[in-house]
Amino acid sequence: MSGTPAIRAEAERLFALFQSAGAVSVEAAILQPSEVLLDLYGEEIRARAYVTSDPELGEQMLRPDFTVPIVQAHMQDGAEPARYTYMGEVFRKQEAGSERASEFLQVGYEVFDRANPATADAEVFALFAQAVGDAPLRASIGDIGVLIAAVQGLETSARRRAALMRHIWRPARFRALLDRFAGRAEMPEGRAELIGALDGLDLAQIVQGAGPEIGLRRAGEVTARLAALREDMDAAPIPAGQISAVNAILNLTDSADKAAGQLAEIANQFPAIKPAAQGFAKRLNALKERGVDVAALTYEGSYGRTSMEYYDGFVFGFAREGAAPVASGGRYDALTRVLGQGRAIPAVGGVIRPELLVEGAS
């Protein structure tokens, strides 16, 4: 295990704390099959991970995260409910000139429990608050589930909703799509002219008559893509009131208790988010029962959207101003369904970087 003696000692302290909370110690191989990560995140994960190849194992990645292999193992033969903890290095590529470490320790805690998700969320948050102790950190929370509910409730085509869902974790791309689907921004240059020129024509016939197939895309794929572009061009703009509701969700920043009231008001105008807003209020009650002062928590509607892309509900973090989070986590129910091949269990967890706690204390 890497790090100075002080960092290693802090990691051991956190590891022992999570074990005392009932977690079973688990490990994950440093080399992970790239196939699973590529299926989850697409080719973009290559820009963030160290990739290698083995004649027998095939393409592998240095472990960029513990959660994915632990979910895989649990969904294969884990008991329910379950609590796990782990400690070890993860590896992430950084941009040239970045001061962020490409190899660092993580200590984590994961809960798989279908009895009461709000209670499990509160358990994990309260435990991490205990773990960071008196360190001068700002606690922030969010709920990606509210934004997901809003996107799924938009009055637009299934294709447009799917595009927005794919880019929830890419704020700039999400914003560009939302503006275009609202009729506030033009299509990419040349697309409208292309679709206009094909208006009323038989797309399959045009593609088949264009010449021999060259490259990886087959004629059927090209035809389907052109049909999708035509459908998108013909789609009506998303209603202005719904766009306003999504913007209100994204821009909401307030104390958690006040944010609950504001989400309830948005839900009155946009009922699609009402179950998610009610779930957030239920979680606040669970946090209060754990002794958490929710009035001291900052709620941010966009919080967690640049983290690992499997979070789909409650998200949280503890950080110094302007610095990377010392601790972060959230709910990832959908990931268990993907890796469980249709089976699913509510799951929530988080990680702490012990070296950041030690640096802040020095």
Side-chain angles (χ1 to χ4, degrees), residues 161-210:
R161 283 194 296 271
L164 289 168
M165 284 294 297
R166 281 196 305 274
H167 295 289
I168 277 178
W169 294 272
R170 302 175 183 87
R173 178 62 175 155
F174 182 90
R175 168 55 57 192
L177 285 175
L178 193 66
D179 287 344
R180 182 160 66 82
F181 296 163
R184 298 175 180 173
E186 297 295 329
M187 278 192 166
E189 185 176 356
R191 182 178 296 182
E193 290 79 1
L194 170 64
I195 301 304
L198 298 175
D199 190 38
L201 302 179
D202 186 322
L203 297 179
Q205 188 176 30
I206 291 173
V207 172
Q208 290 174 1

Side-chain angles (χ1 to χ4, degrees), residues 10 12 17 24 40 42 79 82 107 111 113 119 150 166 190-191 195 205 213 227 257 275-276 290 328 332 340 345 359:
E10 181 65 5
E12 293 286 355
L17 173 64
V24 175
L40 283 171
V107 184
V111 176
D113 192 342
T119 298
R166 281 196 305 274
R191 182 178 296 182
I195 301 304
Q205 188 176 30
E213 294 180 358
D257 55 344
R290 284 273 179 173
S328 61
Y332 50 88
I345 179 173
E359 290 171 6

